[in-house]
Amino acid sequence: MRRLSIILCICVFMHVSLPAFADYKEDLFKKAVDDFSKGQNGAAEMSLKEILSCGDKTYKGRTLYLLGLIYLNAERFKDAEESLLKAYPDYSVLGDYVLKALFDAYLKDDRWEEAVKALKRLKGSYPDSLLLKDARLKEINYLLSKSRLEDAKNSLSSYIKSYPSDRNARFMLAKLMGETGEKTKAAEMFKDLYLEGGPLYKDALKEYRSLGGGDLGAGELYILGDNLLDRGDAVSAENAYMKALPLAEPSLKRSITLSIAQCRLKERRYHGVLDCLRGLDGPNVLSLKAKALYRLKDRDRFYKTVLSIKRDYADSPYLPGLMLLMANDMRRSNKTEEAASMLEDMVKEFPSKKETLLWSLAWLYYLDGNYKEAYGYLSRLSAMDTQHLNRYRYWQARSLEHMNGDARPIYRSLSKEEDFYGSMAMQRLGQKPHYRFIDTAISLPKGLAFERVYELKFIGMKDYAKKELARLITRIKSQDELTAIAYLFNQLGDYRRGIYLAKKTEANDLFFFTYPVCYWQSIASASERTGVDPYLILAIIREESRFDSHAVSGAGAVGLMQLMPATAKRTGISDSVPVKDRDDLFNSEKNIILGVDYFSLILKEFKEIPISIAAYNAGRATVREWLSHGNYKEMDEFMEDIPYGETKAYVKRVLESYWRYKDMADYGNFKPNLVK
């Protein structure tokens, strides 16, 4: 215990200022933080007391605060109070954290008056503290535990005014009002929660019914359906609409029926769409029918429906998109002349869609081998002021190549662009994709808001550091601040936010935050076992989850490589790592092993990386069908012709990330400090 004091005394006696002493103290504090995070409170307490024994004020506040947290966890409330009261004057950078811990100690020790004073002090001194929400909820729960229902109700009402989006609190207040005789108000609150279609809507309905709430009308159920559909829950939305349908007036029935059709379209129940729209007419109805018929591959009826819209509802906003879908379907069915004629007519009919239609014509002629026509359309497109200029220039060069022209000047110009088509142009020139790297020193901003983040990171409270840092995003004042915040998010392991911020600028000095290297040990191990390129694995994880091991998609895909639980459990994939349940997929190492195993199976089937990436996103069966209808001479044609816009964009993003990671490795720019 006296080791640190002895070292200090020796230093004073010898009149020597030893950097090693400061390093030792810092190492000892870091050890205490590490022990505390592992639940080894006794070891952490010993280290912290040793730091305090030297009398150095540099570490006094933070050391006393951590001791207070240790005592709080051990329910040594008097010791916690003593440490925290001593910490507060010397730890102004995190004063609200000290007061919140003091409040928790008083509350757990059943010292209500002191807890109220601590909370009042927290509110008064730190009105914007992100800890206030949790403190006020704990206050409410304490009041409820003591059956002080009126006080709890008042506190809840005040809390909801500050945090109106907290549905749990609103549910709690409604429950409390029902229990204290305000059943009518409680029923109305539960009804509102139900109609919002939030996570608690089913529980809210049960409470509403238990309070004698009346039957809901068609309009209310229609609102519920809309809210559920906005949340992406098409199945529950359809159920709500179906309940509303028999109750609705004729004027509302049609809108409800169209909403049911939209739900079934999202659920891929295409025959169900046609069934519910039977006997109805109008542009909205025919548009939904056309989409269902297209997905059912009922080509003749799809064409007839689109032509009906053109004949009877020529001003329908859905018509250009459906006609373009029809023209592309004709082109894929080798009806090239009919498709070209249709697209030429559409250029005249829909001038606002001119660029899209000219591109469709250029692409039609390119795939048909009529490179002269394709080159002409692409030249027109390249003369436009458009965000797709690089795509047009690339295919213009490819057309020129096929006509035995010299495409190199276009490729050389395009290769200066650091995007997908610039990388493709470099490869046409026989070069590896290469990008500019500027590895500048990070200048960390000063000021209390940033100091709080640094301090929370230093004392091991990384989750709170991330929350405090997230609040600074809306206050970014300069490029230096943006760079620093992106850097800090990466250091804290929040790569999603780090990438998001880095992508907001084109500055190359943020390159390493845009393309962090994470989970490298697990990736390298999976690569060695399967033969899948580790930089490709990195690229897939970056695009699938932004390195967020707890990511969950709307479709239910889980973890770093966004695996569906059914896929992960499939025989032949999970043999090496059994999957008990969905939660197993949040384990980063397991997710990488299973995801790479699955991708390895895809790669063995399709051989080519771009096709395999597409299959990972859209499914193997879907990609097999695309390949059976396509007659692609080179891989770039397949990538450009992917029918699903989402998959096409995904393939391009993964490839671009893959090339960038490979380039980082080739030029020694791999950043080990960002490896997790």
Side-chain angles (χ1 to χ4, degrees), residues 396-407:
Q396 184 185 26
R398 293 288 282 119
S399 300
L400 196 58
E401 268 191 284
H402 284 293
M403 293 188 291
N404 297 318
D406 185 6

Side-chain angles (χ1 to χ4, degrees), residues 403-674:
M403 293 188 291
N404 297 318
D406 185 6
R408 287 175 298 176
I410 299 177
Y411 287 139
R412 279 196 287 267
S413 173
L414 194 53
S415 68
K416 297 173 185 176
E417 303 293 333
E418 295 199 354
D419 65 0
F420 175 79
Y421 291 101
S423 300
M424 293 288 284
M426 278 187 259
Q427 293 176 78
R428 297 305 300 181
L429 291 167
Q431 304 167 8
K432 287 183 180 180
H434 180 52
Y435 309 90
R436 288 169 291 166
F437 298 91
I438 303 174
D439 192 10
T440 56
I442 303 298
S443 175
L444 294 177
K446 296 181 180 179
L448 180 59
F450 283 97
E451 292 296 333
R452 286 164 63 82
V453 175
Y454 309 148
E455 185 64 20
L456 286 164
K457 179 176 179 289
F458 185 69
I459 65 174
M461 296 176 66
K462 290 187 176 182
D463 287 340
Y464 282 104
K466 285 186 243 183
K467 290 177 183 178
E468 295 283 357
L469 194 57
R471 302 177 97 191
L472 298 178
I473 292 175
T474 57
R475 309 175 200 172
I476 293 173
K477 298 176 182 176
S478 67
Q479 177 68 29
D480 285 345
E481 282 193 4
L482 189 152
T483 302
I485 292 174
Y487 166 79
L488 288 166
F489 272 128
N490 273 271
Q491 290 291 303
L492 291 165
D494 192 339
Y495 304 107
R496 181 183 293 278
R497 282 200 178 104
I499 292 169
Y500 165 76
L501 287 174
K503 283 175 68 70
K504 288 173 73 73
T505 175
E506 297 299 320
N508 288 316
D509 55 354
L510 298 185
F511 192 94
F512 297 113
F513 311 140
T514 313
Y515 295 91
V517 180
C518 319
Y519 305 100
W520 183 245
Q521 188 173 347
S522 297
I523 288 169
S525 175
S527 169
E528 186 176 350
R529 183 171 49 82
T530 60
V532 178
D533 191 325
Y535 307 114
L536 179 55
I537 301 169
L538 261 178
I540 291 172
I541 294 174
R542 180 186 184 275
E543 299 310 323
E544 286 286 353
S545 65
R546 290 293 197 253
F547 302 102
D548 180 0
S549 62
H550 290 88
V552 179
S553 75
V558 177
L560 291 173
M561 296 192 71
Q562 289 291 277
L563 291 169
M564 295 297 289
T567 301
K569 290 179 180 179
R570 194 174 301 155
T571 304
I573 298 171
S574 61
D575 290 348
S576 56
V577 182
V579 178
K580 295 177 183 178
D581 53 40
R582 175 176 173 269
D583 288 348
D584 275 356
L585 298 178
F586 291 116
N587 179 287
S588 59
E589 188 170 356
K590 282 187 178 182
N591 195 286
I592 289 171
I593 290 171
L594 293 166
V596 175
D597 280 358
Y598 179 52
F599 186 79
S600 177
L601 291 176
I602 294 172
L603 194 57
K604 285 175 184 174
E605 176 181 351
F606 294 106
K607 306 296 188 287
E608 299 287 350
I609 286 175
I611 299 174
S612 300
I613 295 170
Y616 191 82
N617 179 263
R620 287 184 282 181
T622 300
V623 171
R624 288 187 202 113
E625 184 182 350
W626 293 343
L627 292 172
S628 69
H629 291 295
N631 183 24
Y632 306 115
K633 303 175 190 69
E634 295 193 43
M635 194 50 57
D636 56 359
E637 294 180 14
F638 166 78
M639 289 188 282
E640 197 67 72
D641 201 44
I642 292 173
Y644 293 177
E646 177 189 341
T647 301
K648 183 193 296 187
Y650 172 82
V651 170
K652 291 179 179 180
R653 289 198 309 270
V654 171
L655 283 172
E656 192 172 355
S657 292
Y658 174 45
W659 296 329
R660 287 178 184 264
Y661 279 124
K662 282 180 73 70
D663 189 43
M664 287 164 66
D666 288 345
Y667 284 84
N669 287 310
F670 232 41
K671 281 291 184 180
N673 61 306
L674 295 180

